[in-house]
């Protein structure tokens, strides 16, 4: 079988039967562009495949499919990342399909990876599939803009990991589809600041059995990190089929609004740093206008919205259906402003509409419609003395 020639004379496209490794030729072109001050390396469209082992990327160099989606495949047997972005500042990836070899014992392979600071990275219209670890794993990224991309089948990791310990900031993820990940779809385990996650379709986290029961993190979105988190906005996403939480986030200045969450195994939305029993406080929290569909109101693990140790919060205009516990507030950090739970609709016949414990400031509860067995706490428990309850009619 003959393959058409590449427009780049030192980069020959590969037929499916050709076992040649293109990594040396690709690396040579990357280094050459970097020496000239940067530029764009174009690859041919998806009908031609380039196999590659690890590529050490260079600042100022971008990679793009020419007039279509170009396919770059992980070299057979490789257990290392496809593209190493450690120390890179300024790179863009457009119209690329980055294809892994699937699960492999002991493999840490990811499509894009950094083991240290990197920044000013842009991804547009890329497809990342079949990776043994994470689709994208960056540590200490400053400036990351990803839109209109797709990630799926991350057999032993997450879709996007934004921080594994080093701080990350100025991060935007918009209009992407991420699915079939083992440990969750969008994650940051280290501190992050100025993050926007908007308009994404995120589904099937904990794809191969990862869950709270197995000790894995399997949220659709996990942005709780340590107490240094600041200014996180999670807006207009569809989160479906999580083996743990739909959204687990905590930050000073956290906004979670207008999301649709379907079938989370635990919380639809939980606002808490870890550990759960002694979480660091977070404040200026807004949880508004979200729609949450829980799978089983008889499951005591099923909760719509939970807040732990928050310093002032507003939970308004949410619709929760099918949760065993609708909204819970477990502890409020002092000093803190008053909390507000208002204009929420809780339906589906679960056990408790509101579970409230450890309040250290006034909590205003007003104009919530509920269809649960009881409004406050377990059956027969008194209303906490710090709760200012207005009209909360049962429907």
């Amino acid at each position: 079988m003959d393959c058409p020639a590449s427009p780049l004379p030192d980069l020959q496209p590969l037929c499916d039967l050709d076992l040649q490794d293109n990594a040396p030729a690709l690396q040579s072109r990357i280094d050459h562009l970097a020496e000239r001050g940067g530029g764009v390396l174009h690859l041919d469209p998806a009908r031609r495949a380039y196999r590659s082992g690890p590529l050490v990327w260079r600042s100022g160099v971008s990679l793009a499919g020419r007039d279509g989606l170009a396919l770059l495949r992980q070299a057979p047997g490789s257990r290392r990342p496809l593209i190493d972005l450690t120390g890179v500042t300024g790179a863009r990836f457009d119209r690329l399909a980055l294809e892994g070899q699937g699960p492999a014992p002991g493999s840490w392979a990811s499509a894009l990876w950094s083991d240290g600071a990197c920044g000013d990275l842009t991804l547009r219209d890329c497809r990342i599939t079949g990776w043994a670890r994470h689709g994208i794993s960056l540590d200490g990224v400053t400036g990351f803009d990803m839109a209109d991309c797709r990630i799926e089948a991350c057999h032993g990791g997450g879709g996007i990991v934004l921080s594994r310990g080093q701080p990350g900031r100025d991060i935007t993820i918009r209009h992407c589809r991420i699915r079939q990940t083992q440990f969750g779809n969008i994650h940051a385990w280290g501190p992050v600041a100025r993050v926007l996650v908007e308009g994404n379709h995120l589904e099937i986290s904990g794809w191969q059995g990862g869950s709270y029961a197995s000790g894995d993190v399997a949220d659709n979105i996990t942005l709780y990190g340590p107490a240094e988190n600041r200014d996180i906005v999670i807006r207009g996403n569809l989160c479906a089929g999580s083996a743990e939480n739909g959204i687990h986030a905590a930050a000073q200045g956290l906004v979670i609004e207008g999301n649709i969450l379907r079938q989370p195994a635990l919380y639809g939305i939980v606002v808490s740093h870890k550990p759960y029993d002694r979480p660091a406080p977070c404040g200026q929290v807004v949880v508004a206008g979200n729609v949450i569909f829980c799978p089983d109101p008889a499951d005591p693990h099923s909760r719509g919205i939970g807040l732990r140790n928050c310093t002032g919060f507003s939970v308004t205009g949410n619709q929760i259906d099918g949760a065993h516990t609708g909204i819970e507030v477990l502890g409020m950090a002092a000093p803190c402003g008053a909390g507000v739970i208002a204009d929420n609709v809780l339906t589906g016949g679960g056990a408790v509409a509101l579970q409230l414990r450890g309040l250290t400031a006034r909590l205003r509860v007003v104009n919530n419609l509920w269809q649960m067995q009881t409004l406050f706490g377990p059956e027969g428990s008194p209303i906490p003395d710090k709760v200012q309850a207005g009209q909360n009619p049962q429907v």
Side-chain angles (χ1 to χ4, degrees), residues 293-313:
F293 299 98
C294 296
D296 184 4
D299 181 357
H301 297 104
S302 175
R303 295 168 172 84
I305 297 173
L307 299 99
R308 295 172 182 254
N309 212 29
C310 293
T311 61
F313 58 84

Side-chain angles (χ1 to χ4, degrees), residues 108-386:
W108 286 83
S110 300
L112 302 178
W113 164 275
S114 79
D115 197 24
C118 58
D120 297 330
L121 307 177
T122 301
L123 277 78
R124 291 290 186 274
D125 194 21
C126 293
R127 305 293 182 264
I128 298 173
T129 60
W131 290 90
R133 191 63 173 164
H134 311 298
I136 298 173
S137 181
L138 306 175
D139 202 12
V141 63
T142 300
F144 178 77
D145 185 0
M146 178 175 177
D148 303 313
C149 296
R150 180 166 182 158
I151 300 176
E152 64 180 311
C154 297
H155 298 264
I160 304 172
V161 177
L162 299 169
S163 169
R164 301 191 305 275
Q166 297 190 52
R169 66 180 185 272
D170 299 317
I171 294 165
T172 300
I173 302 171
R174 296 172 296 147
H175 310 304
C176 296
R177 183 169 185 178
I178 307 174
R179 64 191 302 269
Q180 291 183 325
T181 63
Q182 176 70 351
F183 296 154
N185 294 322
I186 297 175
H187 276 198
W189 286 289
V192 290
R194 298 191 297 274
V195 179
L196 173 64
V197 179
E198 183 175 48
N200 302 285
H201 185 158
L202 311 170
E203 59 179 332
I204 319 179
S205 61
W207 164 44
Q208 296 174 312
S211 70
Y212 67 95
S214 63
D216 298 334
V217 176
D219 307 329
N220 288 126
I221 300 174
T222 303
L223 296 175
Y224 56 80
E228 292 86 352
N229 280 10
R230 295 288 186 275
D231 302 323
I232 294 175
V233 177
I234 302 171
R235 176 190 296 134
N237 302 282
L238 171 61
C239 300
S242 169
E244 195 167 356
N245 307 300
I247 296 173
H248 183 174
Q252 191 73 18
L254 171 65
V255 177
I256 302 175
E257 64 180 6
N259 302 282
I260 298 175
L261 303 110
R262 296 176 177 167
Q263 296 188 316
L266 291 179
Y267 291 89
I269 297 171
V270 57
V271 178
S272 175
H273 290 298
K274 279 194 172 181
Y276 273 147
D277 57 345
R278 298 181 306 279
C282 63
Q284 298 177 319
V285 173
V286 174
V287 180
N290 302 283
V291 180
I292 302 171
F293 299 98
C294 296
D296 184 4
D299 181 357
H301 297 104
S302 175
R303 295 168 172 84
I305 297 173
L307 299 99
R308 295 172 182 254
N309 212 29
C310 293
T311 61
F313 58 84
S314 173
V315 179
T316 60
N318 301 283
Q319 178 179 335
I320 302 170
D321 182 76
H324 184 272
T325 300
I327 299 172
E328 68 174 18
V329 179
L330 302 182
M332 294 173 67
C336 63
V340 177
I341 299 177
D343 304 312
N344 301 286
V345 178
L346 302 101
T347 60
V352 178
L354 303 179
Q355 176 79 277
L356 309 172
R357 293 204 305 266
L359 305 184
T360 59
R362 291 288 179 184
L363 175 60
R364 185 167 178 261
V365 180
V366 62
N367 293 338
N368 301 282
L369 299 177
W370 59 286
Q371 196 183 42
M372 320 289 270
Q373 294 177 23
T374 184
L375 181 58
F376 293 94
E379 189 67 40
S381 64
I383 297 174
D385 58 7
K386 292 187 180 296

